[in-house]
Amino acid sequence: MLPTLPLLTSLLLLPSALANGLYGKSSPVLSVDGQSYRRLIADSNHTSIVEFYAPWCGHCQNLKPAYEKAATSLKGLAKVAAVNCDAEENKPLCGNMGVQGFPTLKIVRPGKKPGRPAMEDYQGARSAKAIADAVVERIPNHVRRLKDSDYEAWRDEGDGPKAILFSEKGVVSALLKAIAVDFKDVMSIAQIRNKDKAAVDAFKVEKFPSLLLLPGGGKDPVFYDGEMKKDAMVKFLSQAASPNPDPAPKKEKAKKSTASKDKSKSSKASSSFSKASSSHASSEAQTAPASQTAETMDDGSQPTESPNPNVDTEKPIHVPSEPAPPIKSLPDGLSLQQQCLNTKAGTCILALLPAVPSEKTLQAISALSEIHHKHESAKRNLFPFYQLPHTNSQAAALRSKLALSEDEVELVALNGKRGWFRLYSSSASEEEKASPLTQRSLEDWIDALRMGDLPKSPLPSGLVMPAEQLPEEPVRVDFSGSGNAGTAREGGGPSSGEEVDEDFLAQMKRQMPEGMEFAMEEIDDEEYERILAEQRKGEEGKGHDEL
């Protein structure tokens, strides 16, 4: 039976559509080629995610709907782009990017030096939400967080234009971050919470959210009265300063001295990539042939600019994703009391670990470690994070008192001095509880805690110890006969017949809680071994459920 005319027409159009790429002019995904990549992506102040694909790749075609949906949700916040690696002019770029399979997704963030972005492979789920969340998490934050104590100093910094968003929320939104990126280095953007009454009253703010423009140059402040939409907000702020151009202006000419060198590099990269691409295409054809759906036959368009081999294309820096050092562990009840559970302790974030770590346990520790490392590297003060192994006797007491699960990791924020606690699970939605723990979700929770956005519950009685009753650090004593405290003699305590230093006895007595006495008694080796055996036997039990 001969194919019908419509089907025959579709089959004839298929090679042309695939040759032009998966994403046409009407697609929300930005098509990028070897020439425009630097101007649109590498030189941009905005975060981007770039898909390197081949039109014949079945997995790429399956990803297309989710990728376009992510592009729509990220419009105005970040860039969602794609490079057709099957096009001859793009093969040098794909080769330089280390593309070895399709689709390959890479998140590109502005680096410390212009035109030298940081890049990382996206390894998350291939869903619109997961892709969008990962990109939003990496939008640079140039927004100043102000309080009553520092808004005046910020306001008086120079005479340039400034803008303030007065909000009921403590977390900076992706929208405001994106606006701050647009006005980076030309306008200072800040956020103030409604709880900072002095600042709110000083600027006569009556509703939240409110955007206030301080034009500078002696001009009066102006309130924005439109919708909280990016285009309208940028237009409003542009009356005081022009946003950064994006994409960056084209360069007129490339350097001749580097053209031949880059052409040679591109030729090698293209040759190497072509072999890999050909091999991948053969494998793809055997294992996952593309289905001829309406999506795979979209009428794509040619890249917006013709390839120019003389363009000086700079290869982005690839930053390996080294894991952050793990957060500190509190192995026993005493260390937990000394750090968090006493009347002088500030806020702590605790991860109570189950006996058998699950995938969620690893996600929680990894995310907390990354957050802690990020703040520590930036020398920003943040309350401490600790992990509590299940062998910590006080971890069992916490789980019992706070009615927590014993089989899963539990995240708790608590403050011994003020006597409150807050569970991460009580802040998360049902969808978030069922989803993997991410750095972004934990950062939002921690940020909300820090800004006082979340209600707290009182800590049950018996968990917090009075600070004055805490024992001090163990005393190390010199038993060598010199009479100086501070260094323990190698081999143990005093030998038979040696007298114990009086300073040591005095220090030990000072460490005892109020109302308790201290005394020393000499025992023989047999009694010492019996005590050790009983101690080991006790440690094999389940531990105490009370402090």
Side-chain angles (χ1 to χ4, degrees):
M1 178 179 177
L2 294 175
T4 62
L5 183 59
L7 177 59
L8 183 60
T9 303
S10 298
L11 292 174
L12 291 173
L13 289 175
L14 179 60
S16 175
L18 293 182
N20 289 335
L22 292 178
Y23 303 100
K25 290 182 179 179
S26 60
S27 173
V29 176
L30 176 66
S31 290
V32 177
D33 60 22
Q35 178 178 349
S36 61
Y37 175 85
R38 180 172 185 174
R39 185 170 61 88
L40 297 175
I41 305 298
D43 287 346
S44 177
N45 288 329
H46 289 275
T47 297
S48 306
I49 184 167
V50 184
E51 177 195 4
F52 296 87
Y53 73 94
W56 43 259
C57 163
H59 296 301
C60 304
Q61 295 166 15
N62 292 335
L63 175 64
K64 179 184 175 183
Y67 199 60
E68 288 190 316
K69 187 176 180 180
T72 300
S73 66
L74 290 170
K75 183 179 179 181
L77 306 179
K79 295 185 178 183
V80 179
V83 177
N84 179 5
C85 292
D86 210 39
E88 196 65 34
E89 64 270 20
N90 295 336
K91 289 182 178 180
L93 173 63
C94 297
N96 286 335
M97 293 297 172
V99 176
Q100 297 180 347
F102 304 117
T104 292
L105 298 176
K106 293 181 181 287
I107 297 178
V108 185
R109 297 176 289 111
K112 294 182 179 179
K113 295 182 179 180
R116 304 280 291 178
M119 184 169 62
E120 60 181 297
D121 290 331
Y122 171 74
Q123 303 287 3
R126 301 297 172 92
S127 66
K129 183 180 185 304
I131 292 171
D133 286 348
V135 175
V136 165
E137 192 174 299
R138 289 159 177 80
I139 296 176
N141 187 7
H142 302 296
V143 179
R144 287 277 297 273
R145 300 281 293 277
L146 300 178
K147 296 183 178 181
D148 284 341
S149 58
D150 56 9
Y151 82 91
E152 289 182 330
W154 172 83
R155 180 193 60 193
D156 297 335
E157 288 177 1
D159 195 37
K162 301 177 178 68
I164 310 172
L165 179 70
F166 293 88
S167 173
E168 294 176 323
K169 299 179 180 179
V171 178
V172 178
S173 67
L175 172 60
L176 191 60
K177 288 180 183 179
I179 291 175
V181 170
D182 284 339
F183 288 93
K184 182 176 180 288
D185 298 329
V186 296
M187 180 184 295
S188 182
I189 309 289
Q191 179 169 317
I192 297 178
R193 287 199 64 199
N194 61 327
K195 293 184 178 181
D196 292 289
K197 298 297 184 183
V200 170
D201 293 342
F203 291 106
K204 300 179 180 178
V205 180
E206 298 179 351
K207 64 177 183 177
F208 302 92
S210 287
L211 180 64
L212 178 66
L213 173 63
L214 307 175
K219 297 180 180 179
D220 293 334
V222 184
F223 275 103
Y224 172 68
D225 60 0
E227 287 187 288
M228 291 295 171
K229 302 291 185 181
K230 188 189 176 189
D231 289 345
M233 294 169 72
V234 169
K235 183 178 180 181
F236 167 73
L237 297 176
S238 297
Q239 62 185 297
S242 298
N244 295 301
D246 194 271
K250 289 184 181 180
K251 293 184 178 180
E252 294 297 328
K253 292 183 180 179
K255 297 179 182 179
K256 291 184 179 180
S257 59
T258 61
S260 59
K261 184 177 179 180
D262 287 340
K263 188 174 182 179
S264 174
K265 287 183 179 179
S266 296
S267 177
K268 291 180 181 178
S270 176
S271 175
S272 174
F273 175 77
S274 295
K275 293 177 181 178
S277 177
S278 175
S279 173
H280 188 81
S282 176
S283 172
E284 180 80 20
Q286 293 176 11
T287 59
S291 59
Q292 297 177 1
T293 64
E295 290 170 357
T296 64
M297 292 186 285
D298 276 355
D299 184 15
S301 62
Q302 292 287 354
T304 55
E305 300 179 34
S306 59
N308 182 354
N310 294 324
V311 171
D312 180 16
T313 303
E314 190 169 2
K315 183 179 178 181
I317 301 172
H318 179 73
V319 180
S321 53
E322 291 288 338
I327 56 176
K328 292 181 180 179
S329 175
L330 299 180
D332 51 49
L334 178 59
S335 59
L336 176 57
Q337 288 175 330
Q338 289 174 328
Q339 299 299 329
C340 304
L341 290 179
N342 68 78
T343 52
K344 289 186 178 180
T347 301
C348 295
I349 301 292
L350 304 178
L352 283 70
L353 310 183
V356 181
S358 64
E359 184 178 355
K360 200 166 188 177
T361 304
L362 301 179
Q363 291 168 352
I365 298 302
S366 175
L368 289 175
S369 299
E370 291 291 344
I371 295 169
H372 178 266
H373 182 63
K374 181 175 75 172
H375 284 269
E376 189 176 58
S377 300
K379 297 182 179 179
R380 291 193 293 261
N381 291 327
L382 190 66
F383 24 73
F385 301 170
Y386 299 109
Q387 52 179 311
L388 304 184
H390 76 284
T391 52
N392 185 320
S393 59
Q394 307 305 356
L398 274 175
R399 287 184 184 273
S400 175
K401 289 279 190 179
L402 304 183
L404 303 178
S405 167
E406 296 183 0
D407 301 324
E408 193 52 87
V409 61
E410 294 283 0
L411 303 181
V412 184
L414 54 82
N415 188 299
K417 183 177 181 180
R418 298 183 179 179
W420 60 256
F421 77 96
R422 176 74 186 187
L423 304 178
Y424 170 77
S425 57
S426 60
S427 305
S429 64
E430 291 302 321
E431 182 181 358
E432 288 173 329
K433 290 178 184 178
S435 303
L437 284 169
T438 65
Q439 183 176 334
R440 180 191 175 192
S441 62
L442 288 181
E443 276 191 299
D444 288 346
W445 177 61
I446 292 168
D447 213 13
L449 278 170
R450 189 167 62 88
M451 299 303 295
D453 284 346
L454 301 177
K456 286 98 174 177
S457 303
L459 278 168
S461 60
L463 284 176
V464 180
M465 173 178 281
E468 58 273 12
Q469 294 185 17
L470 277 176
E472 300 175 5
E473 293 295 325
V475 178
R476 296 177 62 82
V477 181
D478 180 11
F479 288 110
S480 61
S482 63
N484 295 323
T487 307
R489 180 176 67 85
E490 183 177 358
S495 60
S496 177
E498 289 183 342
E499 293 186 2
V500 178
D501 192 288
E502 292 297 329
D503 289 340
F504 168 69
L505 294 176
Q507 291 181 58
M508 291 299 294
K509 288 180 179 179
R510 286 198 300 270
Q511 291 187 35
M512 301 306 297
E514 185 177 354
M516 296 184 68
E517 297 294 334
F518 169 78
M520 290 189 67
E521 179 183 356
E522 185 176 354
I523 60 175
D524 57 25
D525 291 343
E526 184 178 346
E527 179 68 8
Y528 177 67
E529 291 297 332
R530 184 187 67 79
I531 293 174
L532 286 181
E534 288 185 357
Q535 183 178 0
R536 284 193 293 267
K537 183 178 179 181
E539 289 175 350
E540 293 173 358
K542 294 183 178 179
H544 302 288
D545 59 359
E546 297 290 342
L547 291 177

